[in-house]
Each structure stands twice: as C-alpha cells, then as structure tokens.
Amino acid sequence: MYTSGTTLSTFIIEEKRRLGEQATGEFTGLLNDISIACKSIAALVNKGALAGVLGVAGSENAMGDAQKKMDLIANDLFINALQNNGHCAGMASEELDEILTLPEGKVRGSYLVTFDPLDGSSNMDINIDVGAIFSVLKAPKGKQDPTAEDFSRAGVEQIAAGYCLYGPSTMFVLTTGNGVNGFTLDTTIGEFILTHPEMKVPETTQEFAINASNQRHWEPAVQRYFADCLAGEEGPLAKNYNMRWVAAMVGEVHRILCRGGVFLYPIDERNRDAGGKLRLLYEGNPMAMIMEQAGGLASTGYGRIMEVAPNGDPHQRVAVIMGSKQEVETILAYHDAG
Ligand code: F6P
C-alpha cells in the first residue's frame, strides 16, 4: 500500500485515512515537529567535533547525571520544535528538572510530549550510536497549562511513541498504536522515507544485552538466568548465546527490532527503592509500546512496564526487561520461581 518513496508525513496522513480516523492535521503536525527536531540533532551529531558539540557542559540534570553539551543542544532543539507550532501543550524531558509549560502567547495544542533528547549521550564523544526517545499523551481538555500530574499517566495511555537512532544512517521508528514502522533519513532531500514497514521482533533469540559489570547487585532471578545463558548448549536453556551492549537503549531496542534479542536493565540492590535505573516516562514506556506493538514483550520482571503506576515524578525510574516474546517469558519464569 505504501511505496518505498513514502515520506513520514505522507505515511501518517495515509494511516489516519486508512483507519477512518478524523484528522485535523494537528497530530501529523506534532510528529512533524518531532521529526524536525530529530533531523536538526542528526545534522549536529553527524558533524561531531567539526560542529564543536563534543564534551561536557559542566552541569548536571535532575538525576545527577553529568550533562554533555549535546544533551543541552538536543533538548533546546526539541523544545523549539515543540513550542512554536501550536500542537503541543507541555513537555517533560530528561534534561529538565520540572515539566515545561509554554511561554505566554504561544498557542497550546492537544498533546503532551515526553522525551530523552539524547539517549546514550556518553557515546557522543567516542562516535558511537546515540538516539532520541519520545512519547505522546493527550493533553487534559480545557486547561491552559498541564501540571506534573497530567504527565503522570500509565504507559497504556500513550497515543504514540518512537525513537530516532543516529547511527550509520539516521532512522526514525514510530508507533501510533498500529504496529511499528521505520523510516531512514535521505539526507539528500532531508526526508524520512519508509524503509522498514511493519517491523516485527522475532519471537525467539539467542542474544542478550545486559551490563554484566552490575552482576553482583542483581536479584537472584536475573543471576540465575544469566548463569544459564553463559552455560550455553550444555546448560538448562540449551542454547549458545551471544551478547551485545551498545550502552544506548535506542541502539539495543533497534537491534532487537531488526534481529531479535532481549535487553535488561533490571532492579539491583542499589536502585531497588527507586524502582530501577531507566526512566519510566521517556525511556521505559515509549520503548515498551514500540516493543509490544512489534510483537515483543516489555516487563519489569513483575508486570507490564506500561501498567506501572506513575508516582507523579517525571523522572520516576523503572526496571526494564524487553525483547523477543519467548525469551522474555523465559526470564519471567525465573522471576516467578523467586
Ligand atoms: O539512559 C540511560 C542509558 O544511557 C541507556 O540508554 C543505556 O541503555 C544505559 O543507560 C547504559 O547504562 P550503563 O551506563 O550501565 O552502560
């Protein structure tokens, strides 16, 4: 139905029409704003040292992470793209302590957007993959400005989610709740073109991604699963596994969408009270929606990520176990066993 020359904007308009949904153009406009932020970030990421965007900014975000120059630039590019066109009513970003409402005089739109403007930013200075992650929620009706409470919604309420991977090519991967589609940036014409229609996560896998340097802190269930992976064909899982770690969640999720696998950032004894390490609103939920829409699973080990009750903190953390359906089910069985 879509040709190989289908642009992101055409795709979104056509998808609405195909589903018989009323379209005012605002949602298409919002996704276009996000894609423009991503293209602007891609241009700088690709220039790297030539654009003077490597290195640290000398500041910290709300979670105490040292901010890179490019974290702040990417954050500004998202804000600029979202606050000027009347599609968005408020934002929550990894790089902002509080939620952001629009300046006086700007038209408030119907959507809220949460984002991690530069996921895996420690990869920036070594010229390895980084990305952006975003999630779209409906803004509350009849309210001038949203509050933190309005962002405090379970992942099942997302109406769209996606990421942009700044890798050897720049890819924009999107779900609006009807499957997952991938678009590659054609830099000669400045458009994202549909290249990966209806992406599906293979159900089975022999590949896992986990930061094994944290092993001693994991819960027994993850310890046992990991040991059984390492035991290979002779062990209880009877498979020889491969391991990968990009250290940027966007890279891990994209690899899993392309060839299967599991990605774990599980609870460990240091982050148990916080609920995990990764952030629920702009990492866990959007990636869980992508994963489920592509036929995979996304769990904390104890329940669906998208059903985790939000606690009102835009920077709430969550444990993440996501990827190929059968492998995630295997890991959940280890959790069920205690
Ligand atoms: O946002 C956090 C993040 O950079 C993820 O993108 C990535 O998966 C993870 O942290 C890397 O963690 P670590 O520093 O343990 O390798």
Side-chain angles (χ1 to χ4, degrees):
M1 127 157 290
Y2 301 107
T3 70
S4 56
T6 303
T7 64
L8 176 61
S9 310
T10 306
F11 175 85
I12 299 161
I13 295 166
E14 287 302 321
E15 190 179 54
K16 286 253 170 224
R17 188 174 309 163
R18 185 168 56 86
L19 298 170
E21 288 174 10
Q22 292 282 335
T24 59
E26 195 181 340
F27 183 62
T28 308
L30 181 89
L31 291 174
N32 196 44
D33 296 342
I34 295 173
S35 76
I36 285 171
C38 292
K39 284 188 230 178
S40 313
I41 296 166
L44 288 172
V45 165
N46 288 340
K47 287 203 183 93
L50 295 175
V53 296
L54 304 188
V56 292
S59 49
E60 284 187 352
N61 65 18
M63 283 83 51
D65 306 326
Q67 289 172 309
K68 301 275 181 190
K69 276 188 205 161
M70 197 58 215
D71 280 320
L72 300 185
I73 296 169
N75 193 49
D76 285 349
L77 288 168
F78 258 90
I79 294 171
N80 281 334
L82 286 168
Q83 74 177 5
N84 291 319
N85 300 324
H87 309 131
C88 176
M91 304 161 221
S93 161
E94 176 173 30
E95 305 307 335
L96 299 172
D97 294 356
E98 309 288 341
I99 62 144
L100 186 73
T101 52
L102 269 54
E104 278 301 308
K106 298 279 182 197
V107 177
R108 271 73 178 151
S110 313
Y111 300 97
L112 304 180
V113 182
T114 74
F115 51 87
D116 177 353
L118 200 72
D119 171 60
S121 58
S122 58
N123 281 355
M124 214 18 235
D125 294 353
I126 52 171
N127 198 15
I128 308 283
D129 297 355
V130 288
I133 310 173
F134 63 89
S135 158
V136 180
L137 295 161
K138 268 274 184 205
K141 284 215 169 84
K143 205 171 177 184
Q144 165 80 354
D145 285 320
T147 59
E149 212 171 62
D150 298 314
F151 286 84
S152 202
R153 312 238 291 274
V156 287
E157 290 194 42
Q158 296 172 106
I159 55 169
Y163 62 81
C164 187
L165 171 64
Y166 310 112
S169 54
T170 298
M171 279 199 70
F172 192 88
V173 174
L174 174 70
T175 180
T176 59
N178 298 291
V180 177
N181 291 281
F183 303 79
T184 303
L185 182 61
D186 182 339
T187 50
T188 53
I189 57 169
E191 291 278 3
F192 282 110
I193 305 292
L194 180 65
T195 47
H196 293 57
E198 294 168 31
M199 296 177 89
K200 290 270 175 269
V201 179
E203 276 207 11
T204 58
T205 186
Q206 298 181 210
E207 193 161 75
F208 64 85
I210 191 166
N211 184 343
S213 69
N214 297 326
Q215 181 184 359
R216 67 194 182 285
H217 304 294
W218 299 333
E219 293 187 316
V222 177
Q223 297 269 9
R224 290 198 308 275
Y225 168 69
F226 184 67
D228 290 349
C229 289
L230 299 191
E233 237 164 30
E234 293 76 37
L237 295 171
K239 298 193 260 191
N240 289 324
Y241 280 82
N242 185 30
M243 197 212 78
R244 285 287 179 271
W245 190 248
V246 181
M249 189 186 195
V250 170
E252 319 287 359
V253 167
H254 192 70
R255 185 187 60 251
I256 293 170
L257 281 181
C258 292
R259 69 176 192 209
V262 278
F263 166 72
L264 300 92
Y265 221 115
I267 292 188
D268 77 33
E269 66 199 15
R270 298 162 303 173
N271 62 36
R272 175 182 302 283
D273 291 346
K277 173 191 153 154
L278 301 184
R279 273 49 67 112
L280 179 64
L281 292 195
Y282 42 82
E283 292 178 322
N285 276 339
M287 290 312 209
M289 183 174 181
I290 290 268
M291 209 45 89
E292 289 193 8
Q293 284 290 321
L297 291 182
S299 172
T300 61
Y302 301 96
R304 239 175 125 201
I305 290 176
M306 288 205 289
E307 288 177 7
V308 169
N311 66 11
D313 173 5
H315 304 294
Q316 179 176 353
R317 294 177 188 262
V318 69
V320 170
I321 298 173
M322 58 171 62
S324 293
K325 186 169 179 290
Q326 286 186 23
E327 197 67 18
V328 175
E329 281 166 354
T330 300
I331 302 171
L332 295 184
Y334 281 79
H335 284 79
D336 288 344

